[in-house]
Amino acid sequence: MSDFNDQDELGARRRNKLKLLQFDKDGKDLIESEKPNETFADVGGLDDVKKKIRMNFILPLKQPELFAAYGKEAGGSLLLYGPPGCGKTFLARAVAGEINANFMHIELQAILGMYVGQSENNLHDIFEKAREHKPCVIFIDELDAMGGSRNQMRQHHDRILVNQLLMELDGLRSANDEVFVIGATNTPWYLDSALRRPGRFNHMIFVPPPAEPERSTILELKLANKPVEKLDLTRIARETKHFSGADLEQIVKDAIEVALERTLETGDIQPITQDDLRKAAKHRKATTLDWFATAKNYATFSDVNQDFQIVLDHMKEHGMK
Ligand SMILES: Nc1ncnc2c1ncn2[C@@H]1O[C@H](COP(=O)(O)OP(=O)(O)OP(=O)(O)O)[C@@H](O)[C@H]1O
Ligand SMILES: [Mg+2]
């Protein structure tokens, strides 16, 4: 199958996300929150990332007295970054699921497209609403959309919105305990440096593609409750180096399609076979490699604070050039 399908898939995912935030003509009733069912158990691997999130977000909420002794309250913000399809959005939803919190998904592109004035108000409304509905996770996707290089007018507009976001994040430290802000970006090096100061998005967490055993786990998760023959998933995992979680999900979808075709031909349920998965994997490519090529450039040539050393380490460890 061609790469166009991957693009469609990506587009569909993006459109799907947009559904959550709805703007009417007057800019009222703009926020839809939901309670995700996903938990960390649905996220394959990423143990280090989960641990960091547990320490910062989840345990302070579950055992406030322990953390209060150190002057730490529940609440705060962190930034997830990494190649596409490796679980940033999925993980953010799972955080909300873990703590049984409301989840608000902000697509910055949508807010940036609004009139000057309207966008700041909307951003403020979102944070207000989150305070009314705590515990609440506010997920700000495509954070890099803010403050990127654009024409002067746009830059001015973005600046105002960045300032508004900074104000909301600063307010978070005083008033919004139990409001969690998770930002996500594929291009952390473009992020406005003011957003990276202490108390804002100063926890940057790299969300890497799954390693081999994690790929097995993800395949297993995606195949759960489906009709399958006896499968050797470690083998598929071995043959899918650098594949993202989304790539693996796609392989499972491709294999399901083939099994379904067989089922329709024969009239009884045909299990998904090792061969279906193997062929599907062969026809797909890892979609994370372009990201690493770009990241390597930044990490090598313009990373004065060595923020992205971890990306270089990952590349070395997994034999990427
Ligand atoms: N670790 C994982 N465990 C289980 N499923 C995963 C994992 N990583 C990715 N997926 C699957 O891939 C899909 C896409 O992942 P997600 O949207 O979270 O990626 P992302 O990192 O936010 O990508 P983008 O940068 O394109 O926004 C998810 O809906 C999920 O089904
Ligand atoms: Mg995402």
Side-chain angles (χ1 to χ4, degrees):
M1 257 167 258
S2 74
D3 283 333
F4 284 108
N5 285 327
D6 292 314
Q7 287 303 324
D8 286 350
E9 177 79 11
L10 202 68
R13 270 202 278 139
R14 295 224 189 285
R15 278 193 297 282
N16 216 0
K17 289 189 233 166
L18 273 172
K19 254 193 340 216
L20 302 176
L21 234 194
Q22 296 188 337
F23 300 94
D24 72 1
K25 284 194 214 73
D26 309 320
K28 291 194 190 94
D29 288 333
L30 75 169
I31 306 147
E32 287 202 348
S33 73
E34 54 165 340
K35 277 210 145 139
N37 295 320
E38 296 93 333
T39 66
F40 277 0
D42 300 299
V43 182
L46 296 175
D47 289 338
D48 291 348
V49 177
K50 286 177 186 167
K51 189 171 166 197
K52 275 193 197 144
I53 295 177
R54 268 205 193 94
M55 272 304 285
N56 282 296
F57 279 9
I58 296 174
L59 292 176
L61 196 64
K62 293 199 166 147
Q63 294 178 292
E65 46 327 316
L66 293 186
F67 286 78
Y70 297 93
K72 212 168 156 31
E73 286 176 348
S77 50
L78 60 81
L79 177 71
L80 305 174
Y81 73 94
C86 291
K88 296 182 292 298
T89 303
F90 198 57
L91 198 61
R93 290 177 60 86
V95 171
E98 277 289 307
I99 55 180
N100 201 15
N102 288 303
F103 184 76
M104 292 181 186
H105 189 145
I106 308 179
E107 190 91 16
L108 267 184
Q109 291 290 5
I111 296 193
L112 281 166
M114 304 173 101
Y115 299 110
V116 179
Q118 200 187 8
S119 39
E120 303 87 82
N121 284 338
N122 282 332
L123 197 60
H124 181 69
D125 286 350
I126 289 167
F127 276 78
E128 281 288 292
K129 216 157 195 143
R131 281 180 203 114
E132 286 165 23
H133 293 87
K134 52 192 195 184
C136 186
V137 173
I138 301 180
F139 179 57
I140 309 181
D141 211 355
E142 291 162 31
L143 202 56
D144 44 277
M146 263 185 178
S149 58
R150 291 194 185 78
N151 67 41
Q152 290 267 300
M153 266 290 281
R154 278 241 54 112
Q155 268 184 23
H156 181 63
H157 182 185
D158 287 4
R159 192 70 245 158
I160 297 173
L161 198 61
V162 170
N163 286 339
Q164 183 68 38
L165 180 59
L166 293 174
M167 261 166 63
E168 302 298 344
L169 290 172
D170 288 343
L172 202 91
R173 270 186 289 181
S174 48
N176 353 343
D177 47 323
E178 295 189 29
V179 176
F180 305 90
V181 182
I182 301 180
T185 176
N186 299 126
T187 52
W189 37 83
Y190 289 145
L191 207 65
D192 192 300
S193 58
L195 283 167
R196 301 266 310 276
R197 304 231 175 90
R200 297 168 182 169
F201 293 109
N202 57 325
H203 289 291
M204 288 224 297
I205 300 185
F206 175 46
V207 181
E212 194 177 304
E214 301 177 348
R215 293 197 292 274
S216 275
T217 311
I218 293 174
L219 287 166
E220 207 175 300
L221 283 168
K222 303 299 171 195
L223 286 162
N225 307 318
K226 308 267 172 3
V228 291
E229 66 165 25
K230 198 167 163 5
L231 297 172
D232 181 2
L233 294 180
T234 51
R235 190 152 182 173
I236 307 290
R238 213 176 307 138
E239 288 160 6
T240 46
K241 215 172 171 191
H242 311 310
F243 276 53
S244 68
D247 294 339
L248 296 170
E249 188 173 35
Q250 188 60 49
I251 288 175
V252 170
K253 277 188 192 157
D254 292 350
I256 287 175
E257 207 163 296
V258 176
L260 194 59
E261 262 170 37
R262 269 200 309 274
T263 298
L264 293 177
E265 275 162 22
T266 58
D268 1 270
I269 301 269
Q270 298 286 316
I272 300 159
T273 66
Q274 181 78 15
D275 203 44
D276 293 337
L277 286 167
R278 195 184 53 81
K279 281 192 184 134
K282 249 196 140 100
H283 282 99
R284 295 271 173 190
K285 280 196 308 243
T287 58
T288 60
L289 296 173
D290 288 348
W291 185 89
F292 277 103
T294 310
K296 187 181 174 186
N297 249 326
Y298 281 92
T300 312
F301 299 112
S302 40
D303 184 20
V304 275
N305 300 320
Q306 299 209 311
D307 287 328
F308 308 118
Q309 182 60 40
I310 187 170
V311 175
L312 295 179
D313 293 345
H314 178 94
M315 293 182 76
K316 211 167 172 184
E317 193 184 324
H318 292 88
M320 294 184 197
K321 291 261 159 47

